[in-house]
Amino acid sequence: MTKKRVILSTDPGIDDIAATTFLLFDPQVDLRMIVATWGNVSLKYTLQNALKLETFLHTKVPVVVGANQPLVRPAISAASVHGETGIAGYEFPKEDTSLIKKGLAATLMHEEIQNSPEKVTLMGIGPLTDFALLFKQYPEDLEKIEEIVIMGGNIGHGNHSPFAEYNIAGDPEAAQIVLQSGLPTKIAPLEIGNKAHITASELDKIKACGEVGNMLYSLFSNIHEPDGDTRIKIYDPTAVGILLQPEFFNLKPAHIEIELAGRYTYGASVMDFLSDNPNTEVATDVDTHKFAEWFIEEIKQADQGRK
C-alpha cells in the first residue's frame, strides 16, 4: 500500500489534538511535517501543544513554526472554548523542542513538496495562512500537490459569527487564495462536525482506550461550546475521515467564494452547489455510526502505536 504523504497545518486546540494523533499513527499516512499556526489560541501555545503531543505520543515528525497572525486582519481567539493554552484538561509532559525544524514554513513546505517522490496532500485544520503564503511564494508547487483537505466553512450559519465558521473567519483572505488555487479540494464544513458528535457512551469507550484514550477523554470533557451545547462536537477529525474514509461521507461539488467585504458577512463561505464551475467537494452528510466506530478504532491504534 502506498501511503499518503501529508503536510498538516494545525492550531491545537482540542479537536486538532485528536486529528493529529490519527495522522501520526494511521498506516495509510506518512505524515511529513506538522506546521503549527496561530488559530484557536496564539502561536506560542499552538506550537507548544504540537510539541507536547508528540512528546506524549513518542513520535518524531518535524514541527515547523507557522504564521503568528492572519494575512490582513487582527487575530481572533477561541480560548473560551479550548482554554487559555488550547489544551485545558490534561497535563502533558514538557515539550521536546528538538522536534522543531528551523526555517520559514512556506520554504520548508516547498522543499518537502519538491523533494517528494510522489505528490503531497495538504491538510488544513486551522486558519489557512501558511498554505496561502506557500501558494503565493512557490506557485510551481501546485503541480506537485495531490489535493487539499480542509476543515472549515459552513453551509448555513457559522460558529464565529452568524455567517462565518471559525477557521475561515480567522483568515478569510488566505482561505480565498487557497480555494482559488485550482487544486482538487475537499471540505469538511461546520455542519459535519456538528453531526459527527461524540455521545456519552462513546466518550466512555474513548476513556477505556489506554493512555491515548484517557488523554482525549480528559480534553473532550473540558470543551466549553459557546452555545452551551453539551454534546462533544468533532470538527477537525472529520477532515481526516474524508481523507482516509471518504465512503462515510456524502461529498457534493460546489463553487465556494469567501466573502471579504461584507459588513456583517465577512468570512462567510458562499457555497454554490448549482455552479457549473465547482472548485471543491463539500461533505454534506456523514454516517455517524461508522464515523464513531472508526474514531474509536483510531484511538486504539494510536495507543498501541505509542507503546
Side-chain angles (χ1 to χ4, degrees), residues 31-272:
L31 186 58
R32 305 297 300 172
M33 181 182 297
I34 298 170
V35 181
T37 182
W38 78 279
N40 284 312
V41 289
S42 69
L43 178 63
K44 170 187 174 181
Y45 291 121
T46 60
L47 177 62
Q48 280 184 2
N49 296 347
L51 295 168
K52 286 182 176 183
L53 176 64
E54 284 218 79
T55 305
F56 167 76
L57 293 174
H58 310 150
T59 54
K60 298 292 183 182
V61 173
V63 176
V64 171
V65 181
N68 66 359
Q69 60 186 313
L71 295 178
V72 177
R73 303 290 182 105
I76 60 178
S77 173
S80 61
V81 176
H82 295 265
E84 182 183 355
T85 66
I87 51 172
Y90 188 79
E91 191 66 35
F92 282 90
K94 183 173 175 56
E95 63 272 19
D96 178 4
T97 57
S98 71
L99 293 172
I100 295 175
K101 188 170 184 178
K102 294 183 179 179
L104 293 174
T107 300
L108 293 173
M109 286 190 287
H110 162 70
E111 291 172 352
E112 178 62 40
I113 291 166
Q114 289 300 318
N115 292 331
S116 175
E118 299 164 359
K119 287 189 174 183
V120 173
T121 294
L122 304 183
M123 180 172 289
I125 55 175
L128 298 172
T129 312
D130 286 300
F131 288 163
L133 291 169
L134 170 69
F135 295 169
K136 285 295 187 182
Q137 188 69 29
Y138 300 104
E140 66 271 25
D141 288 355
L142 295 176
E143 63 184 22
K144 295 201 68 177
I145 296 171
E146 183 73 29
E147 65 177 348
I148 310 172
V149 184
I150 296 167
M151 189 279 123
N154 50 296
I155 300 171
H157 283 277
N159 63 345
H160 173 68
S161 73
F163 297 101
E165 179 275 331
Y166 187 87
N167 283 348
I168 302 300
D171 198 339
E173 285 78 12
Q176 180 75 336
I177 289 169
V178 170
L179 289 168
Q180 290 180 339
S181 67
L183 288 169
T185 304
K186 294 184 176 73
I187 289 183
L190 181 68
E191 287 79 4
I192 292 298
N194 288 340
K195 189 166 187 178
H197 66 277
I198 294 297
T199 65
S201 63
E202 288 161 352
L203 197 59
D204 288 339
K205 291 179 182 177
I206 289 170
K207 186 179 183 181
C209 294
E211 286 298 318
V212 174
N214 181 58
M215 177 268 290
L216 291 172
Y217 171 87
S218 300
L219 292 177
F220 291 151
S221 299
N222 275 274
I223 291 178
H224 302 288
E225 293 289 353
D227 59 2
D229 194 334
T230 57
R231 297 178 304 162
I232 307 300
K233 299 171 187 175
I234 303 300
Y235 296 111
D236 293 331
T238 60
V240 182
I242 286 176
L243 177 67
L244 301 180
Q245 304 290 343
E247 66 275 11
F248 294 172
F249 299 83
N250 287 344
L251 291 161
K252 293 185 179 180
H255 186 91
I256 301 181
E257 298 285 340
I258 306 302
E259 175 58 61
L260 302 179
R263 179 179 177 185
Y264 299 108
T265 57
Y266 177 68
S269 304
V270 183
M271 298 190 181
D272 182 2

